[in-house]
Amino acid sequence: MYSPDGKSVVGCVECHHTDQPKSALKPPLLTSERDVALTLESWRSSPQKVNECRACHFQDGNVPDGKEMPTATYTDGAKSTKKDLNNELAYHINCNTCHDAAFKLRPELKKKAGFSTSKDCTICHKAN
Ligand code: HEC
Ligand code: HEC
Ligand code: HEC
Ligand code: HEC
């Protein structure tokens, strides 16, 4: 998978955002679980496992005892909004923000099998 402009490969931490050092985090991200950024090499040479998104981004109504739903605060000018990042929202923000940016730069991606923008719900959610 590539960056929106198609010029570089997407780094692991674009998705596994807690798998990078605290100093590398950009707002609204705050949480770090790893001192060395996750790459294929650092993953192979470290015993530390990668947490799946579902380990932290729970489904609504399904938050395990003693855990909390992650939240992030988004600032737009003078306005800031705090959002609960359940599983659905975490995936949608992560996948769709980048895909929409890629589509804007490269409209021809629409023809690529499996590629979706945020509006193409049924590509990810197979109609049944
Ligand atoms: C485009 C987003 C994305 C990128 C880039 C990405 N991953 Fe993942 N990765 C995921 C998602 C989403 C899951 C969880 C899969 C699931 O729950 O079905 C996952 C799961 C994993 C798991 C399994 C976790 C478990 O215990 O089940 C490992 C290990 C992993 N990724 C390592 C990597 C490494 C190493 C890289 C970089 C070389 C990388 N990933 C790049 C999205 C990504
Ligand atoms: C260890 C727990 C943990 C794991 C694992 C995790 N997240 Fe998060 N996520 C958080 C927390 C906590 C926040 C709120 C910001 C912060 O504290 O860094 C967050 C924020 C986010 C955001 C909002 C950031 C933004 O820029 O809008 C997205 C999107 C997201 N996570 C997606 C994912 C995806 C996709 C995965 C799996 C590939 C994942 N997260 C794995 C805990 C986690
Ligand atoms: C940082 C950018 C980025 C993120 C995050 C991202 N993608 Fe992509 N994805 C792309 C780009 C760019 C393409 C088009 C591939 C190309 O350039 O040819 C793509 C293509 C795809 C395709 C089409 C098949 C393929 O591999 O080309 C699928 C399926 C896909 N992405 C699923 C996902 C899912 C699911 C997520 C969220 C877990 C996700 N992507 C997150 C950038 C991203
Ligand atoms: C890039 C792929 C992608 C696109 C595009 C997408 N979704 Fe999703 N959606 C996901 C993923 C991944 C999940 C998390 C599913 C899971 O954890 O099993 C999800 C979860 C959901 C859920 C919660 C389902 C549940 O069982 O918890 C709803 C509702 C949903 N999406 C609706 C939509 C709608 C409506 C659209 C179009 C406006 C859309 N999605 C576009 C990938 C996508």
Side-chain angles (χ1 to χ4, degrees):
M1 208 172 282
Y2 296 89
S3 57
D5 65 10
K7 290 187 180 127
S8 55
V9 173
V10 172
C12 315
V13 300
E14 292 284 346
C15 301
H16 297 283
H17 63 89
T18 58
D19 289 284
Q20 56 187 323
K22 195 133 197 147
S23 59
L25 296 172
K26 295 191 195 80
L29 297 176
L30 301 166
T31 306
S32 158
E33 299 187 288
R34 194 181 289 266
D35 297 334
V36 177
L38 182 67
T39 59
L40 204 47
E41 293 72 46
S42 74
W43 178 62
R44 285 198 180 117
S45 62
S46 160
Q48 187 181 340
K49 77 184 256 291
V50 174
N51 275 319
E52 336 176 47
C53 325
R54 287 180 187 84
C56 301
H57 296 280
F58 308 108
Q59 285 178 308
D60 280 340
N62 228 342
V63 180
D65 283 345
K67 304 264 186 168
E68 274 176 38
M69 187 70 88
T71 62
T73 302
Y74 297 89
T75 311
D76 181 10
K79 206 176 102 209
S80 67
T81 324
K82 191 171 171 188
K83 286 192 186 160
D84 268 358
L85 296 165
N86 63 14
N87 182 263
E88 174 186 345
L89 189 58
Y91 274 102
H92 284 173
I93 294 176
N94 177 250
C95 318
N96 293 338
T97 308
C98 187
H99 284 188
D100 287 354
F103 175 64
K104 228 173 169 178
L105 293 170
R106 292 185 284 151
E108 70 278 10
L109 277 177
K110 204 65 174 191
K111 293 193 213 102
K112 194 179 164 93
F115 181 81
S116 57
T117 67
S118 56
K119 297 190 175 68
D120 306 323
C121 317
T122 54
I123 294 179
C124 299
H125 300 286
K126 301 268 178 299
N128 50 104

